[in-house]
Amino acid sequence: MTTDSPQPFDWRLAVVDPTPRAPAGFRSLVTPTSRGSTTLFERAADLRDDWDAEKAPYTYGLHGTPTVLELGARIAQLEQGRHCFITPGGQAAIALIYLAFCGAGDHALLPDTAYGPNQGLAGGLLKRLGIEVQTYDPLIGAGIAALLRPNTRLVWCESPGSATMEIQDVPAIAAAAHRAGAVVALDNTYAAGVLFDAFAHGADVTMQALTKYIGGHSDLLLGSVTCRDEAHYRALGEARNFLGMAASPDDCSLALRGLQTLGVRLAQLERGTLEVAQWLARRPEVRTVLHPALPSCPGHEIWRRDFTGSASVFSIVLRDGPSRAQIEAFVDRLALFKIGYSWGGVTSLAAPYFNLRRTLRPYGDRLVRLNVGLEPPAALIADLEQAFAALA
């Protein structure tokens, strides 16, 4: 039986001919969304399974389709790195960095203000694997040298810190870590890879939750890990291969679209957020505004030195007096601000943080994190003003 002779329709449906039937010559401004698990080879001698796209670009869909690799190349260019791996989410990017550089018996350092799931990973799975992760004061600067050990393999930075927004002296921390032979990794999600030049300030590896500003519309889950050094590239690539961290080409397509408007969105988000934060700083109900561009934020002077702008997420610390129920009522009364995690999209969000674990600068049950979206700042201010009645 040959495929040239007439066959039942089910045979014609089952036999795949990869030869294109559409006319050639189509060009578009949009990167095509390429899906697929199986990669076809011209000859049996060419058949191979290799994660390294620089050696063999397409061997299996797990390692990336053209859409995934295009996004990785653009993120690397954006961050002025050399290599970038796309992961299924920001937490996956964090896990990849740990497992690429740490093994049983190794020691890592993590700021006390790091993203909560990063801390959870450190105290859970990594502890069971024999990797010790020690937390440190994010404002320690060069003093981190006293915490470094002969088995310290990885030093994490996250600047600003999650929820409490401390700005770290990354160059000083990186210099001390490099003298001890440790890799410096930075969660650069707040800066979207552009408001803080991670590699110029000493980081070896940088990660982002592309879910936030790169995606920009709260409709995808992706992460990225970028590096410059060849040894770091190989360590990350091998770990990613063993972990099977495939990224969705459809999500990558949305992220590529988000990149096109990243600059204008960040500029508008910065202006609107500053207007709202400065208004909140004058409110009698607010004790402190934790926004990197305001002097009230720990590490503000370092932000002025190292950053080229600010983003959309910050926190307020309410004055003593209101109960937890009143603070919840304040958040519930907000109309334009929706209640939810994450940030970086077009919609404003609010989330109270009760019992936030901060050993050095605790804020008790008084912290509310805000993400300012693209709504008019005056309307957001009016929304906050009416909600403050719940604290009376």
Side-chain angles (χ1 to χ4, degrees):
M1 180 180 291
T2 68
T3 57
D4 294 330
S5 59
Q7 304 297 338
F9 79 94
D10 53 343
W11 171 269
R12 296 195 301 271
L13 293 177
V15 175
V16 176
D17 181 358
T19 305
R21 287 172 171 76
F26 177 77
R27 299 180 66 201
S28 170
L29 293 172
V30 179
T31 301
T33 303
S34 300
R35 305 180 188 90
S37 57
T38 300
T39 299
L40 300 181
F41 297 83
E42 291 294 330
R43 303 173 305 164
D46 297 331
L47 192 69
R48 62 186 299 176
D49 184 10
D50 195 325
W51 63 265
D52 190 348
E54 295 188 350
K55 292 181 179 178
Y58 307 112
T59 62
Y60 190 57
L62 177 69
H63 309 312
T65 72
T67 315
V68 178
L69 297 186
E70 178 70 18
L71 177 60
R74 293 197 191 183
I75 297 295
Q77 181 184 45
L78 184 76
E79 298 186 348
Q80 301 182 69
R82 183 180 172 193
H83 310 282
C84 177
F85 295 99
I86 304 300
T87 65
Q91 180 68 357
I94 291 169
L96 174 59
I97 292 170
Y98 274 118
L99 296 175
F101 298 110
C102 296
D106 288 341
H107 174 251
L109 289 167
L110 179 69
D112 179 61
T113 54
Y115 176 53
N118 189 334
Q119 298 187 50
L121 176 64
L125 176 62
L126 297 180
K127 185 177 181 180
R128 295 202 304 272
L129 294 176
I131 300 169
E132 181 187 357
V133 181
Q134 177 185 356
T135 58
Y136 69 90
D137 181 353
L139 303 181
I140 197 170
I144 200 168
L147 303 180
L148 293 163
R149 307 176 188 172
N151 64 333
T152 303
R153 300 289 176 259
L154 181 65
V155 175
W156 272 100
C157 294
E158 183 178 336
S159 184
S162 180
T164 47
M165 309 304 290
E166 292 88 346
I167 309 298
Q168 295 195 260
D169 191 343
V170 175
I173 292 171
H178 289 154
R179 285 194 296 270
V183 172
V184 177
L186 172 71
D187 184 335
N188 206 22
T189 304
Y190 173 90
V194 293
L195 301 178
F196 178 79
D197 189 339
F199 294 112
H201 288 89
D204 299 304
V205 178
T206 177
M207 60 75 49
Q208 290 190 61
L210 304 182
T211 306
K212 308 296 196 295
Y213 292 118
I214 302 296
H217 296 79
S218 307
D219 57 1
L220 63 86
L221 290 166
L222 285 175
S224 66
V225 179
T226 306
C227 65
R228 284 181 169 177
D229 183 81
E230 188 67 22
H232 297 158
Y233 169 64
R234 301 220 61 83
L236 290 163
E238 290 170 4
R240 179 179 177 274
N241 180 44
F242 292 134
L243 292 168
M245 287 189 176
S248 162
D250 295 278
D251 281 357
C252 290
S253 178
L254 292 174
L256 284 164
R257 183 186 64 181
L259 276 173
Q260 294 179 308
T261 61
L262 178 63
V264 293
R265 285 188 288 109
L266 284 177
Q268 179 59 38
L269 291 171
E270 179 177 39
R271 286 192 294 269
T273 304
L274 279 170
E275 186 173 339
V276 173
Q278 288 164 350
W279 178 83
L280 284 165
R282 299 190 293 270
R283 290 294 302 191
E285 300 91 345
V286 176
R287 188 179 86 192
T288 306
V289 176
L290 301 174
H291 185 298
L294 300 187
S296 53
C297 188
H300 166 71
E301 291 301 320
I302 297 173
W303 174 84
R304 290 184 60 189
R305 183 193 73 187
D306 293 347
F307 282 71
T308 59
S310 59
S312 67
V313 64
F314 70 101
S315 296
I316 58 173
V317 180
L318 299 169
R319 294 194 181 276
D320 294 342
S323 65
R324 176 170 177 164
Q326 286 177 297
I327 295 173
E328 289 175 340
F330 160 70
V331 174
D332 288 345
R333 284 186 63 144
L334 293 167
L336 290 179
F337 285 88
K338 307 306 179 185
I339 303 171
Y341 290 115
S342 198
W343 34 272
V346 301
T347 303
S348 293
L349 298 169
Y353 278 70
F354 300 117
N355 301 315
L356 186 66
R357 291 180 296 175
R358 293 291 185 269
T359 58
L360 299 164
R361 280 167 292 280
Y363 294 105
D365 292 343
R366 297 288 180 266
L367 190 140
V368 178
R369 191 182 73 179
L370 301 174
N371 173 73
V372 172
L374 295 180
E375 304 92 343
L380 295 174
I381 287 171
D383 191 25
L384 288 162
E385 187 166 31
Q386 64 82 26
F388 273 129
L391 301 180

